[in-house]
Amino acid sequence: MPFCSTNCGNKAILKRPKTGDTLCKECFFEAFENEIHFTIERAKLFRPGATVAIAASGGKDSTVLAYVLKLLNEKYKYNLKLLLLSIDEGITGYRDDSLDTVKQNRDDYEMPLKILSYKDLYGWTMDEIVAEIGRKNNCTFCGVFRRQALDRGAHLLKVDYLATGHNADDIAETVLMNILRGDLARLSRCTAITTDSGDGIPRVKPLKYTFEKEIVMYAYFRKLIYFSTECVFAPNAYRGHARILLKDLEKIDPSIIMNIIQSGEDLKVNENAKIPTLTRCTRCNYVSSQDVCKACILLEGLNKGLPRLGIGKSSKVKRLLQENEEKETNRLVCNGKDNTCICKNSKVPIIK
Amino acid sequence: MCSLDDNFENKEVKHFPKVEKINLRDLKCNKCRENIPVVLLRHKDAYCKECFLAGATHKFKALLGKTKLIRPHDRVLISYEVGHPSTALLHFLRSGLDLNTPKQLRFEPVIVFLEDQWHLTVEERIEIVEKVKKEISWFKFQVNLVSFADSVCNNNIVISQMNLELHENNKENINSILKKHINRTNKKEVLNILRRNILISIAKKLNCRYIITPELSVDIATNLLTNICLGKGSQVPDDTGFCDHRDKDVKILRPLRTFDMKEVAFYNIFNNLTPVTVRQPDVHQYSSIQTLVNHFITDLQDNYPATVTTIVKTGDKLASGDHIVRDKCKLCQGIILEKTDELNSEESTKFSRLLSNELIDHALSREDRYLKIKYKFDSCTDRNQRYCFSCSKISEFILLNDTN
Ligand SMILES: [Zn+2]
Ligand SMILES: [Zn+2]
Ligand SMILES: [Zn+2]
């Protein structure tokens, strides 16, 4: 390794993929942290005095995010109340190790930790869902529920912000993926550093301009403990292709990642192009492209003993929902009070 | 970070649309529903010869006609490049001009061959030029020959309808306008931009207000992804759309952008046309961003052709961001966006570079050190840059005085 680019006289420990400079350990720590501070300050990510939930999975990104946020909060006096938010899907064996890591984070960084289970959020554990629907389709459930779990959790805890550990590599990969599958709505949103999930709790990405390789190096040299197992959820085909392409591009020049993010930031969807508009789910009030969000459809299926509802095509879902609604209506009984009964003769309350 | 996608995965979009084996003899033509089909496009649409040719011609004219840009008697520069797309393009033009119906093409094509085949020997290049002249005159067009190397190096464009002087040292001459340590990605990018600029200059010399290039869907998709990778997102609409509006006098049109190679090849075969062929240079997949992306898209075209179509369509629906356009890039004529207070990727990289070269001053507190570097950052921000984000990275390698 050559000497540190700052001319401090020390031997460098890494070559920065973002700029090609080489840094020693001490200079790397300060540069790494100051860059995240610069991002937070320049993008005005947090309001002083706010409560921030850090989405903690026990993985390297969220561990480094928690560590650095705590450090910057003290050094630069953000005056933030930080807490860790973890989701327990209730899959026997899967979360145990990573939750242990999160608990370690809690103790090491002296931050409150809130673990919310699927049971808390949805009334069902993943194991119970699997028992209900069999192994084959449980990915659909887990995926949909996981996407909403953090939002629901943040809402439940009444925090002001939800910070996630998405890094520069993740964002570049998402840009490429959205181009491959022609998802214009997400293409124009995926590079935003702050997004709104519809409940007034902004989701922020302080590590947006931080490279994955540097996150790993930072955790290694700071001796941070994290859970280093790959996500058990296989990426979809488009993300898979995007990931392979990005890895190949990085071999030629790692700073391509910053180019891709810049491209994403400079793009906008043509006014004439029709893109699906997002609305709120009429049942749970979360952002959705349909009247009823996928999580609510799946939940309804589970609660009504129709677990396959929502797994298939959306036309089929609509039909099943409709059939279900009809069944529901038929269960209304006249009792001469509040609502009009299906028989139009008398008023009924809705019996669930 | 977990890569679980924040959207719903229907069965239809979970996997790339796959290619299925189809036996043509079991089918009827998609269009006339009578004849036995002879071509299968996009692995699903089967056509008989007549319907296929009619469809191809219609598609070509529809795209040109829809925009109503070209008016009767306009002179239109046709950028001829060796291969199937150019041959099909010449045939579309000739048969369109020779029609006696209201569908006749009424503009005046001016065919230009801008020669840049330096990977070949001079003998091979001379042979190619002869073949190109023969092909173009077979279509009853006048040929215009221009040397790319001479145009760049002499900063002067010479158009000949007879002959082209080719030299062994053309390649070295081109290399001499670039700094030695330029990497292959940047070199390719510079040459692409210069090629476009020279075509525009030729068009101006020949009084043409339009240029037609023979790019196919694969080229468009490759270009789009390459642009994204080079940080030229704001230029995607001009660089991959039907019309490149960047020059105020000369517009570049791409009427073959929804065709794929199979379509133009079959079009040529059914019309008994044999294009000129060129030995392709042997390039390593990882030699540059362009070759890597090209490899990726070619692979998609072979295995998941619908995805290439998706990429092209995505490009159609993009516009450059809603930032204010401050200027045009001196090199590529791309837009330069007005600096805003919003943090972006370019700024983040600049800050990282500054930090990585700043000695930590232990006499100051951490906060004061940060304030010092931020002051430095703010005072060195160039608000009057003359190059776009992407060209600002390559302009330093160009040794020419004036590239416009
Ligand atoms: Zn150092
Ligand atoms: Zn037919
Ligand atoms: Zn430029």
Side-chain angles (χ1 to χ4, degrees):
Chain A
M1 267 286 176
F3 283 99
C4 179
S5 294
T6 67
N7 284 327
C8 69
N10 294 330
K11 276 260 170 66
I13 48 135
L14 92 160
K15 181 170 174 170
R16 309 198 75 187
K18 190 169 172 180
T19 63
D21 294 306
T22 52
L23 290 180
C24 73
K25 196 155 108 180
E26 189 195 1
C27 295
F28 170 58
F29 286 158
E30 180 142 333
F32 183 92
E33 291 154 9
N34 277 353
E35 279 166 28
I36 298 170
H37 173 55
F38 178 75
T39 305
I40 290 170
E41 187 200 52
R42 201 82 168 181
K44 302 179 187 75
L45 283 195
F46 305 114
R47 189 176 66 239
T51 306
V52 180
I54 301 166
S57 64
K60 59 178 175 7
D61 300 299
S62 63
T63 300
V64 168
L65 179 63
Y67 180 89
V68 173
L69 277 186
K70 177 185 162 64
L71 183 142
L72 295 174
N73 192 30
E74 286 161 9
K75 289 238 158 44
Y76 293 104
K77 304 178 186 70
Y78 293 166
N79 196 17
L80 297 175
K81 286 190 255 336
L82 300 172
L83 62 94
L84 299 164
L85 168 60
S86 268
I87 304 297
D88 182 2
E89 292 89 346
I91 305 172
T92 313
Y94 165 64
R95 265 295 177 223
D96 303 352
D97 293 343
S98 59
L99 283 178
D100 283 347
T101 316
V102 178
K103 286 172 191 158
Q104 185 78 44
N105 290 163
R106 169 198 63 197
D107 300 340
D108 293 348
Y109 312 149
E110 295 161 323
M111 268 181 217
L113 164 67
K114 184 74 191 166
I115 300 176
L116 292 173
S117 68
Y118 271 23
K119 197 90 186 164
D120 298 330
L121 296 167
Y122 302 111
W124 292 76
T125 71
M126 217 36 227
D127 282 347
E128 285 169 0
I129 295 171
V130 172
E132 193 77 9
I133 59 153
R135 280 223 156 263
K136 203 167 152 248
N137 285 309
N138 62 18
C139 291
T140 310
F141 278 87
C142 198
V144 170
F145 284 176
R146 269 160 61 95
R147 279 188 287 271
Q148 268 198 13
L150 286 170
D151 287 324
R152 289 192 179 213
H155 191 70
L156 222 69
L157 300 180
K158 296 193 170 56
V159 295
D160 301 308
Y161 296 94
L162 175 63
T164 61
H166 292 99
N167 59 44
D169 303 53
D170 294 330
I171 293 173
E173 185 183 292
T174 307
V175 171
L176 292 178
M177 176 186 75
N178 286 329
I179 290 171
L180 292 186
R181 67 173 174 195
D183 192 333
L184 289 158
R186 288 196 172 76
L187 179 59
S188 59
R189 260 184 293 136
C190 68
T191 50
I193 194 161
T194 302
T195 49
D196 181 6
S197 52
D199 53 3
I201 302 175
R203 271 189 174 224
V204 298
K205 306 182 186 102
L207 303 182
K208 178 186 173 186
Y209 297 115
T210 309
F211 277 52
E212 188 172 281
K213 188 187 156 198
E214 293 202 356
I215 290 171
V216 174
M217 297 294 267
Y218 186 82
Y220 174 78
F221 286 113
R222 281 272 190 222
K223 299 188 174 64
L224 304 182
I225 294 161
Y226 63 89
F227 182 69
S228 60
T229 303
E230 284 287 305
C231 179
V232 293
F233 304 94
N236 73 48
Y238 291 95
R239 188 174 286 280
H241 278 256
R243 184 167 297 171
I244 293 167
L245 175 62
L246 189 69
K247 291 277 172 258
D248 276 347
L249 289 164
E250 275 186 81
K251 282 180 199 153
I252 299 175
D253 180 0
S255 72
I256 295 288
I257 284 176
M258 294 305 280
N259 288 352
I260 296 172
I261 298 176
Q262 180 70 45
S263 284
E265 288 170 342
D266 287 346
L267 276 175
K268 176 184 96 169
V269 176
N270 195 321
E271 281 127 11
N272 306 321
K274 288 192 191 92
I275 55 170
T277 46
L278 290 177
T279 53
R280 303 270 180 94
C281 169
T282 51
R283 303 199 178 176
C284 70
N285 206 30
Y286 280 95
V287 173
S288 166
S289 52
Q290 263 119 30
D291 289 349
V292 180
C293 77
K294 191 92 169 180
C296 283
I297 292 175
L298 290 174
L299 274 176
E300 164 139 0
L302 281 172
N303 295 333
K304 298 269 161 61
L306 289 165
R308 300 191 51 79
L309 198 65
I311 294 172
K313 291 188 176 177
S314 51
S315 52
K316 205 169 144 197
V317 170
K318 267 195 192 129
R319 212 189 58 226
L320 276 166
L321 260 184
Q322 212 162 19
E323 281 173 16
N324 203 35
E325 216 116 277
E326 278 161 21
K327 267 192 229 154
E328 192 87 335
T329 343
N330 292 338
R331 275 199 273 150
L332 301 178
V333 188
C334 304
N335 75 346
K337 276 186 193 159
D338 320 338
N339 300 318
T340 308
C341 174
I342 193 90
C343 70
K344 305 254 164 48
N345 292 333
S346 28
K347 310 254 186 180
V348 292
I350 293 166
I351 299 164
K352 287 240 170 177
Chain B
M1 193 59 203
C2 180
S3 59
L4 217 96
D5 306 310
D6 56 338
N7 84 319
F8 315 138
E9 278 171 21
N10 293 324
K11 283 256 161 58
E12 307 99 281
V13 299
K14 193 159 184 175
H15 303 289
F16 274 44
K18 270 209 194 96
V19 171
E20 281 169 43
K21 281 245 182 307
I22 296 173
N23 194 343
L24 281 181
R25 268 167 295 174
D26 304 339
L27 297 171
K28 286 263 185 274
C29 166
N30 254 13
K31 185 88 185 158
C32 65
R33 308 264 170 214
E34 277 178 24
N35 299 337
I36 293 176
V38 291
V39 288
L40 184 67
L41 297 179
R42 293 164 291 272
H43 299 275
K44 59 179 174 49
D45 306 320
Y47 296 102
C48 71
K49 183 175 161 182
E50 289 70 33
C51 292
F52 166 76
L53 287 174
T57 307
H58 176 78
K59 190 157 99 171
F60 174 75
K61 284 194 184 154
L63 203 52
L64 263 188
K66 202 171 70 182
T67 52
K68 293 201 174 87
L69 283 166
I70 304 177
R71 292 171 312 187
H73 313 299
D74 269 347
R75 283 165 63 83
V76 178
L77 188 153
I78 311 297
S79 172
Y80 176 96
E81 292 163 28
V82 176
H84 273 298
S86 292
T87 300
L89 178 58
L90 291 183
H91 191 272
F92 280 132
L93 291 169
R94 179 41 70 202
S95 45
L97 290 164
D98 288 351
L99 278 179
N100 277 323
T101 67
K103 290 189 167 179
Q104 187 195 19
L105 291 179
R106 289 169 199 283
F107 58 85
E108 192 186 328
V110 180
I111 321 292
V112 170
F113 179 47
L114 182 55
E115 201 274 349
D116 59 356
Q117 318 271 348
W118 317 302
H119 63 285
L120 304 175
T121 64
V122 171
E123 290 73 35
E124 284 175 307
R125 289 165 68 194
I126 291 171
E127 199 187 317
I128 299 250
V129 171
E130 285 311 311
K131 283 184 184 165
V132 167
K133 280 160 68 180
K134 229 168 113 185
E135 181 177 25
I136 293 173
S137 54
W138 188 87
F139 282 107
K140 291 180 276 161
F141 288 120
Q142 176 64 56
V143 65
N144 293 279
L145 302 166
V146 181
S147 156
F148 178 72
D150 289 347
S151 308
V152 171
C153 302
N154 308 337
N155 206 3
N156 179 29
I157 289 163
V158 182
I159 303 165
S160 164
Q161 300 192 329
M162 303 296 293
N163 267 311
L164 205 54
E165 267 192 57
L166 302 171
H167 302 287
E168 204 72 71
N169 62 0
N170 281 155
K171 192 173 183 174
E172 290 147 49
N173 289 343
I174 285 286
N175 285 337
S176 73
I177 65 150
L178 299 167
K179 282 191 188 159
K180 277 211 174 55
H181 59 282
I182 186 169
N183 66 31
R184 288 205 187 86
T185 299
N186 287 340
K187 181 173 171 183
K188 272 197 160 84
E189 183 59 13
V190 172
L191 294 181
N192 279 343
I193 292 170
L194 291 180
R195 196 182 151 86
R196 175 186 172 276
N197 292 351
I198 288 170
L199 271 179
I200 287 175
S201 302
I202 299 171
K204 286 176 182 169
K205 263 196 139 158
L206 293 171
N207 292 317
C208 298
R209 293 175 56 228
Y210 296 97
I211 296 173
I212 284 179
T213 57
E215 291 153 281
L216 304 178
S217 58
V218 179
D219 304 311
I220 299 290
T222 304
N223 232 337
L224 192 150
L225 266 191
T226 305
N227 269 317
I228 296 290
C229 294
L230 297 177
K232 295 171 76 169
S234 63
Q235 304 195 29
V236 163
D238 274 318
D239 236 359
T240 67
F242 173 71
C243 179
D244 176 347
H245 296 91
R246 280 173 289 193
D247 192 272
K248 69 178 200 306
D249 300 315
V250 178
K251 312 289 174 218
I252 301 175
L253 309 179
R254 308 180 177 101
L256 298 186
R257 66 189 292 280
T258 58
F259 285 80
D260 61 34
M261 190 52 102
K262 192 171 173 183
E263 271 176 290
V264 292
F266 268 106
Y267 182 85
N268 290 339
I269 290 166
F270 290 150
N271 284 304
N272 295 316
L273 304 169
T274 317
V276 180
T277 52
V278 167
R279 177 165 63 84
Q280 290 303 313
D282 230 1
V283 279
H284 189 256
Q285 184 188 339
Y286 292 99
S287 78
S288 68
I289 298 297
Q290 292 90 338
T291 52
L292 182 72
V293 170
N294 188 265
H295 191 271
F296 178 80
I297 296 287
T298 311
D299 195 54
L300 280 186
Q301 178 69 48
D302 290 345
N303 298 303
Y304 313 96
T307 304
V308 174
T309 312
T310 304
I311 298 172
V312 174
K313 282 187 186 157
T314 305
D316 292 342
K317 292 169 190 156
L318 294 176
S320 41
D322 39 11
H323 315 272
I324 303 157
V325 176
R326 190 176 56 74
D327 204 353
K328 283 200 168 185
C329 172
K330 207 167 148 350
L331 185 58
C332 74
Q333 297 188 310
I335 54 175
I336 300 176
L337 302 171
E338 189 73 74
K339 286 251 188 309
T340 62
D341 284 340
E342 248 171 74
L343 174 64
N344 63 19
S345 168
E346 181 181 12
E347 266 199 335
S348 171
T349 304
K350 274 186 188 159
F351 188 73
S352 295
R353 189 162 290 137
L354 199 63
L355 267 182
S356 308
N357 290 283
E358 180 80 5
L359 189 60
I360 296 177
D361 182 353
H362 290 283
L364 297 173
S365 72
R366 174 102 187 224
E367 273 180 291
D368 286 339
R369 287 205 293 272
Y370 177 78
L371 287 176
K372 196 179 131 196
I373 190 99
K374 234 195 82 192
Y375 178 77
K376 205 166 169 182
F377 175 81
D378 286 331
S379 54
C380 73
T381 301
D382 177 16
R383 289 198 176 253
N384 290 310
Q385 60 186 145
R386 299 179 311 153
Y387 297 107
C388 68
F389 168 73
S390 176
C391 290
S392 65
K393 294 181 167 191
I394 58 175
S395 58
E396 57 173 303
F397 297 108
I398 305 173
L399 299 168
L400 291 172
N401 307 328
D402 199 332
T403 38
N404 241 342

